[in-house]
Amino acid sequence: VTQLILLIEDEPEILRVLRHPLEAAGYAVELAESVETGLQAIARLKPTLVLLDLGLGARDGKDVIRGARQWSDVPIIVLSARFSESEKVAALDLGADDFINKPFGVGELLARMRTALRHRAIRQRGDASVTHGELRIDFLTRRARVSGRYIHLTPREYDVLRILVQHAGQVVTHRQILDGAWAQGDVSDYQNVRVVVAQLRRKLEEAKCAWPRIMTEQGIGYRLEAEEESARE
Ligand code: CA
């Protein structure tokens, strides 16, 4: 079955650049050029994945995320030409899966797409554990292992690491980590997230975890290294 990629972008030049490499990678590509036609295409075509530009004429591409997330969990990767980190954070907090800065390499884009599709497949399988590199997380026992050996984590550290592993290779915002690892109503701010991530990095280092490492996305959040990133080094 050919996987359909929906590109929502008002500059046709981007489609000219992307069509051939995406088709060569085995994907079919459809284009929508506005917020309205983009939402209609998601409903009608049920694409495997959406590539979304945030600048759609006078409209804001975030309206696509806002609309689609009411009824669709299709993976959405934002193509961002903007330097504004707050735009990316807003798009991610609305439910985008990841972003990639323009201009981007096609290889990098394909890697991000594979990661997003892999995560959706994992979510649909509903496995009770997930492995990424040397890390293994058991959801039922709430324990983590590095190369098969248990590491001691506080409940908070476990939850932050679980969220990062569940989004391995994808960016996770400070807000997403706070919402997922701190009880509602907790007085918590981003500084708490930084402290826990620093502890996690130290414990992973002590456990001699060579990869994945926890990477900082400046002004946005964190990203657990993807397999492809590790392989590139
Ligand atoms: Ca545009």
Side-chain angles (χ1 to χ4, degrees), residues 10-11 52-62 78-91 99-103 220:
D10 61 349
E11 296 148 64
L52 172 68
D53 187 47
L54 287 186
L56 294 173
R59 291 290 301 275
D60 186 336
K62 290 201 298 298
V78 165
L79 311 177
S80 177
R82 306 186 184 194
F83 293 100
S84 165
E85 269 130 22
S86 63
E87 277 294 298
K88 292 173 207 163
V89 169
F99 71 88
I100 188 164
N101 287 322
K102 290 199 278 190
I220 299 174

Side-chain angles (χ1 to χ4, degrees), residues 13-32:
E13 175 66 21
I14 303 282
L15 179 63
R16 278 201 291 277
V17 172
L18 287 183
R19 185 186 287 282
H20 180 71
L22 286 178
E23 288 180 351
Y27 300 108
V29 187
E30 288 282 342
L31 177 70

Side-chain angles (χ1 to χ4, degrees), residues 174 182 189-199 201 219 222:
H174 295 114
W182 271 261
D189 61 27
Y190 297 169
Q191 187 56 32
N192 297 107
V193 178
R194 289 191 192 95
V195 168
V196 172
V197 167
Q199 289 163 345
R201 281 176 169 149
Y222 299 94

